[in-house]
Every structure is written in structure tokens, then in C-alpha cells.
């Protein structure tokens, strides 16, 4: 039996914006979400173990490109957002929203250690009437099997004394068209009261909410979305390799194919997958499928193709250098862009890191330009970003467009002696000096 006074207090608090919202994990997901709650009028406290982030938040400075400096300054100055590492303050929150990392172990098994630490902190502070939401991407069953028992350990019951839901974050960092506020939010609770409470909360900050019947469905929704991307990128990467063998420009093929108004959606080849989602999330699903005696073959195959792309890029560099009778060893190879995708500062799983490592191992003299990533420490080698002006004026033996940041002047890159373009950023056909993926 639901404690009606708690649920109605929670719903009243949402309507009146009287609730105090706690966000655990102030990264690419947590900080934009915290700012949205603050914009909507809630008092928000961010919790993180990284003291630098706490200092930045409390000073009103943004360290995430999707949160503008002015937005950040406004909510902090207005007293709507602050940050702390003092987890005991979770006890004063009405809502606890968990946005911590969910990486893979070296064995490609899920690493839920961050989620467990955050949940244990929430459990230590849990009180009746609180709403706890997990946003971190994870395998179906996590909320019921990992989160719920820890929160219920001291006797409070989920969906009765407190509320518990899973709501996957679907944000696409660097995407100005679809943001935390405008992307529909999927919500699944451990019971109807939890679903209603979480749906009401999000409806007050995002433009639309989609309620589903359980936490497991909500968890699976996110993994379907990201597996769909990983598999389609794997397919188009394989088509790119195939087109190369047949001397067909894959980019021209995709541009023409996407004119079909139905039944086709363009995905683009590239130097490999990056970020904290697409290279990782499908393996959460295949791990859980394996626990249930099911082998997720598409996921494994896409992972195989996608992870071979950095090697392929290095092969293209070798072909390009070979065309001017140069070996990789001793050649000056310069990467334009090292972030995993355009207009972000996120280096996690970036294929550029693999490409740098492969080139260094073969004896190339590697350098890079990325206005979003001033320094880079890869495999014990420390690099500093070369200013674009200087990079565009240097006669590198070979340049690579690894990340198609909007700020780069591609006409100037195209004028360099030899370029490998992994993103079709230079447009136009391949030439004697431009090698396209
Ligand atoms: N980055 C994306 O594009 C994206 C998009 C959708 C979903 N997600 C998912 O959201 C989750 C978070 O991803 P992210 O990119 O924001 O990660 P992130 O690394 O940018 O941020 C996570 C934050 O959590 C903090 N943290 C770790 N353990 C903590 C603890 N015990 N207590 C308090 N803080 C702690 C870290 O210091 C960090 O600031 C992941 O599950 C990810 O898969 C990410």
C-alpha cells in the first residue's frame, strides 16, 4: 500500500517547485540535468567526488560545453545550484538522481562500482518520501537487482515508503538541436507510484515524458537505442571498407541513399567509435544476455568491425605516405581533432588515441591540433595541441582529419601536401593528395 501522504507531498512539491533535488555525479549528464532542474525553479545540490568540479560549480563556472557560462553563472548566482562532496547532505534531498559512470572492466564486463558507491551513499541517507532515480546507462535488471536491495536494506520499502525509478539519459553532447530539455524522457518505476512520481518530476523540466511499465523496460530502451547506433555504424564501416576495395566513394553513396524518404536512415563511417556510450553500452547488454544463455551476435560483430577502424586509418596513412615514397617511420603525421566527435572536449574511448598509439609504435612523429583538448597524455607520451594557424601552415608529411570540429578551416587543411580524411570533412572526391576513408 502506497503511503499516500508521501506521494501527494512529492507531487505537490513538484508542482510548487519546493523540492530539493540532489544530483550524484556532475559530468556530461549530471551537470546539464542539474542546470535544467535549477532553471525550472528547483533548489539543486550536486554531489561529486571530484573536488575540482565542486569548486567550478560553486564558482558558477561551466566545464561542460553543453552548459553555457551565462546559464551556469545565472543559476549559481540565483542560489539555485551548488555542489558538495558531503554525501550526508543527501538526507536533506527530496529527490536523489544518480548520474555516475558505468564503464566496462578490461574483460568487457560491466563495472557497476560507481553506481554501487553512489547507491550506498543514497541508502545511508534514505528517508521516507524520497524519490531515487538511476540515470546511468546499465543492463536490464540493475535497478531491481542492484539498487533496490541496497536501498531497502534498512527496512524502508520501495514504491511504498520511498520511490524508485530508472530513467535513461539520452543527451547527445554537442548537439544544439536536441538537448537535455528537449529530448523526451523515458521513465520506468519499480511500481506505479514510483513511475508517476518520476514522470511528474521530469514533466516539470523536460518537454515530454514517456512512461513505461517497468525499470527493466526503461533500461532496455536505452540499450536498444545505443545498440542500434553501434550496429548501424558497424554496418556502414563495413560498407566503407567494401567500397574502398571496389573504388566507390562511400560518402557519395550515402548522400544519394539518404534521399529515400522512407526506410533508410544515414549513418556515417569514421575512424572508430568513441565516447562513454556507443562503444560501451552494447556490451552491458551482451553481458546480461549471456547471463541468460543468449549470445548477442550483432553486438559482437559490430564491435569487431568498429574496433578495427583505427588500424584501417593507419593503413590509409601508410598508403598515402607510400604514394609519395615515404615510410611511416620518421614521418611527421599531424592529427586534426582528437576528441571522439565534433565540437566536444570528451576524449573517452576516442579512436584518435588508438591511432596516435599505432602511429607512435610504427615510429611516426605525431602531433595534433584540437582547440577543445589542450593537452594529451597517451601511453606515456605527452602532447600539446598545436595552434590551428601554425598547423595549417606546416608542411606535414601527412595530416589526418580525425575529428571534424566546426572551427577548423577545411580549405586550408585540404591545401596541405597529403591528407587522410576520415570524416568527409573536405567534401569532394579523393585526389592524389586527399585520401578518403
Ligand atoms: N556522456 C554521454 O554522452 C552520455 C549520454 C547518455 C548517458 N550517459 C550515461 O550517463 C552516465 C554518466 O555519464 P557521464 O558522461 O556524465 O560521466 P562523467 O564521467 O562525465 O560524469 C560522472 C561524474 O560522476 C562522478 N562520480 C563518480 N563516482 C561518484 C560517486 N560515488 N559519488 C559522486 N560522484 C561520483 C565523477 O567524478 C564524474 O564527475 C553513464 O552511465 C553514461 O553511460 C552518458
Amino acid at each position: 500500500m502506497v503511503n499516500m501522504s508521501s506521494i501527494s507531498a512529492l507531487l505537490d512539491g513538484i508542482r510548487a517547485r519546493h523540492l530539493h533535488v540532489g544530483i550524484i555525479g556532475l559530468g556530461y549528464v549530471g551537470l546539464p540535468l542539474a542546470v535544467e532542474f535549477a532553471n525550472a525553479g528547483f533548489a539543486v545540490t550536486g554531489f561529486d567526488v571530484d573536488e575540482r568540479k565542486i569548486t567550478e560549480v560553486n564558482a558558477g563556472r561551466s566545464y561542460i560545453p553543453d552548459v553555457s557560462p551565462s546559464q551556469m553563472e545565472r543559476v549559481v548566482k540565483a542560489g539555485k545550484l551548488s555542489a558538495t562532496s558531503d554525501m550526508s547532505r543527501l538526507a536533506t534531498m527530496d529527490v536523489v538522481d544518480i548520474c555516475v559512470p558505468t564503464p566496462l572492466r578490461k574483460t568487457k564486463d560491466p563495472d557497476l562500482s560507481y553506481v554501487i558507491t553512489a547507491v550506498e551513499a543514497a541508502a545511508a541517507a534514505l528517508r521516507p518520501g524520497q524519490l531515487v532515480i538511476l540515470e546511468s546507462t546499465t543492463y536490464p535488471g540493475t535497478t531491481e537487482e542492484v539498487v533496490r536491495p541496497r536501498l531497502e536494506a534498512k527496512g524502508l520499502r520501495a514504491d511504498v515508503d520511498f520511490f524508485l525509478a530508472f530513467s535513461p539519459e539520452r543527451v547527445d553532447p554537442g548537439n544544439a538541436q536536441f538537448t537535455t530539455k528537449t529530448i523526451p524522457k523515458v521513465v520506468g518505476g519499480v511500481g506505479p507510484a514510483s513511475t508517476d512520481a518520476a514522470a511528474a518530476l521530469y514533466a516539470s523540466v523536460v518537454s515530454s515524458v514517456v512512461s513505461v511499465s517497468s525499470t527493466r523496460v526503461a533500461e532496455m530502451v536505452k540499450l536498444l537505442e545505443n545498440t542500434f547506433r553501434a550496429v548501424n555504424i558497424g554496418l556502414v564501416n563495413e560498407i566503407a571498407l567494401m567500397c574502398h576495395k571496389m573504388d566507390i566513394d562511400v560518402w557519395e553513396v550515402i548522400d544519394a541513399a539518404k534521399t529515400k524518404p522512407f526506410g533508410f536512415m544515414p549513418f556515417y563511417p569514421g575512424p572508430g567509435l568513441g565516447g562513454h556510450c556507443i562503444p560501451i553500452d552494447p556490451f552491458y547488454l551482451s553481458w546480461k544476455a549471456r547471463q541468460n544463455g543468449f549470445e548477442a551476435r550483432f553486438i559482437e560483430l559490430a564491435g569487431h568491425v568498429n574496433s578495427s577502424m583505427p588500424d584501417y586509418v593507419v593503413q590509409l596513412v601508410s598508403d598515402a605516405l607510400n604514394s609519395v615514397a615515404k615510410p611511416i617511420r620518421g614521418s611527421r603525421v599531424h592529427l586534426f581533432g582528437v576528441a571522439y566527435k565534433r565540437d566536444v572536449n570528451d576524449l573517452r574511448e576516442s579512436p584518435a588515441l588508438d591511432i596516435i598509439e599505432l602511429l607512435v609504435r610504427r615510429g611516426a612523429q605525431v602531433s595534433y591540433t584540437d582547440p577543445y583538448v589542450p593537452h594529451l597524455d597517451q601511453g606515456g607520451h605527452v602532447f600539446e595541441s598545436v595552434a590551428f594557424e601554425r598547423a595549417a601552415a606546416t608542411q606535414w608529411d601527412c595530416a589526418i582529419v580525425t575529428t571534424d570540429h566546426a572551427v577548423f578551416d577545411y580549405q586550408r587543411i585540404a591545401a596541405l601536401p597529403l591528407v587522410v580524411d576520415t570524416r568527409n570533412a573536405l567534401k569532394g572526391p579523393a585526389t592524389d593528395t586527399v585520401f578518403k576513408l
Side-chain angles (χ1 to χ4, degrees):
M1 187 62 163
V2 175
N3 182 337
M4 286 309 291
S5 64
S6 308
I7 182 91
S8 57
L10 207 51
L11 295 177
D12 287 347
I14 292 169
R15 272 190 292 272
R17 308 290 193 265
H18 279 156
L19 299 189
H20 204 141
V21 177
I23 308 274
I24 308 184
L26 295 171
Y28 289 93
V29 164
L31 187 67
L33 192 66
V35 170
E36 281 314 328
F37 277 117
N39 277 338
F42 292 100
V44 182
T45 302
F47 295 82
D48 208 293
V49 289
D50 182 344
E51 292 292 344
R52 282 171 310 177
K53 285 186 176 137
I54 290 162
T55 306
E56 291 299 287
V57 170
N58 288 333
R61 288 191 295 263
S62 172
Y63 45 88
I64 300 282
D66 285 350
V67 175
S68 72
S70 58
Q71 249 185 331
M72 189 74 190
E73 200 185 334
R74 196 175 57 242
V75 288
V76 172
K77 267 199 177 149
K80 287 293 179 191
L81 172 64
S82 63
T84 180
S85 58
D86 177 3
M87 296 291 163
S88 69
R89 286 182 51 198
L90 286 167
T92 61
M93 300 295 122
D94 302 297
V95 176
V96 174
D97 205 328
I98 301 172
C99 307
V100 295
T102 43
L104 289 172
R105 298 187 189 284
K106 281 211 169 77
T107 52
K108 293 220 163 175
D109 289 352
D111 175 1
L112 284 186
S113 58
Y114 299 92
V115 169
I116 290 172
T117 307
V119 169
E120 281 171 352
L126 192 69
R127 57 175 175 76
Q130 268 184 333
L131 166 62
V132 180
I133 305 172
L134 179 62
E135 294 240 1
S136 303
T137 307
T138 184
Y139 57 79
T142 306
T143 309
E144 284 286 0
E145 296 159 18
V146 177
V147 181
R148 183 176 188 160
R150 286 174 171 79
L151 292 177
E152 288 185 330
K154 285 196 297 194
L156 293 180
R157 292 153 304 162
D159 215 47
V160 178
D161 304 310
F162 70 96
F163 307 97
L164 174 60
F166 180 81
S167 179
E169 180 51 61
R170 303 158 109 185
V171 72
D172 178 19
N175 187 331
Q177 189 186 359
F178 298 107
T179 61
T180 300
K181 188 175 176 59
T182 59
I183 301 168
K185 202 88 178 82
V186 172
V187 172
V190 294
S194 297
T195 307
D196 290 350
L201 177 73
Y202 286 121
S204 65
V205 286
V206 302
S207 46
S208 115
V209 174
V210 181
S211 295
V212 295
S213 62
S214 66
T215 54
R216 288 157 58 82
V217 169
E219 288 157 341
M220 189 69 181
V221 166
K222 174 73 185 179
L223 293 185
L224 169 61
E225 291 166 4
N226 283 3
T227 301
F228 174 82
R229 274 193 72 72
V231 167
N232 278 288
I233 294 169
L235 173 65
V236 82
N237 275 332
E238 189 172 79
I239 296 280
L241 302 181
M242 202 187 291
C243 281
H244 184 73
K245 288 271 182 215
M246 295 191 282
D247 201 18
I248 296 169
D249 183 334
V250 68
W251 305 95
E252 189 184 353
V253 172
I254 298 166
D255 275 349
K258 75 180 186 196
T259 60
K260 187 178 180 185
F262 53 89
F264 183 82
M265 182 187 261
F267 284 85
Y268 296 95
L273 298 181
H276 185 32
C277 295
I278 312 297
I280 291 173
D281 303 348
F283 293 101
Y284 267 68
L285 185 52
S286 58
W287 177 86
K288 188 64 178 178
R290 238 183 353 263
Q291 310 295 303
N292 288 273
F294 188 91
E295 189 196 343
R297 286 168 295 171
F298 274 105
I299 293 175
E300 296 301 328
L301 180 59
H304 183 70
V305 174
N306 291 329
S307 63
S308 73
M309 293 311 285
D311 277 304
Y312 178 62
V313 172
V314 172
Q315 183 57 48
L316 285 179
V317 171
S318 171
D319 293 349
L321 287 168
N322 192 50
S323 73
V324 291
K326 288 183 181 167
I328 289 186
R329 180 164 298 280
S331 287
R332 292 180 314 150
V333 181
H334 189 78
L335 282 77
F336 284 93
V338 290
Y340 84 91
K341 70 170 183 176
R342 68 161 24 207
D343 303 346
V344 302
N345 62 356
D346 194 348
L347 267 181
R348 290 176 296 179
E349 315 288 328
S350 176
L353 303 178
D354 292 333
I355 293 168
I356 289 175
E357 192 145 343
L358 290 167
L359 288 168
V360 167
R361 239 189 270 158
R362 290 184 189 201
Q365 294 176 39
V366 179
S367 52
Y368 82 95
T369 293
D370 193 319
Y372 296 97
V373 185
H375 320 281
L376 181 60
D377 184 344
Q378 178 58 17
H381 294 87
V382 179
F383 301 88
E384 300 284 326
S385 174
V386 177
F388 183 84
E389 277 306 312
R390 190 150 77 79
T394 303
Q395 302 290 295
W396 310 105
D397 295 309
C398 184
I400 314 175
V401 179
T402 1
T403 315
D404 51 346
H405 289 311
V407 292
F408 290 152
D409 178 343
Y410 290 102
Q411 269 187 339
R412 296 196 57 198
I413 295 176
L416 289 169
L418 204 53
V419 186
V420 169
D421 182 4
T422 71
R423 303 280 188 175
N424 197 30
L426 308 190
K427 310 293 177 205
T431 64
D432 286 350
T433 61
V434 175
F435 284 64
K436 293 176 68 175
L437 186 144

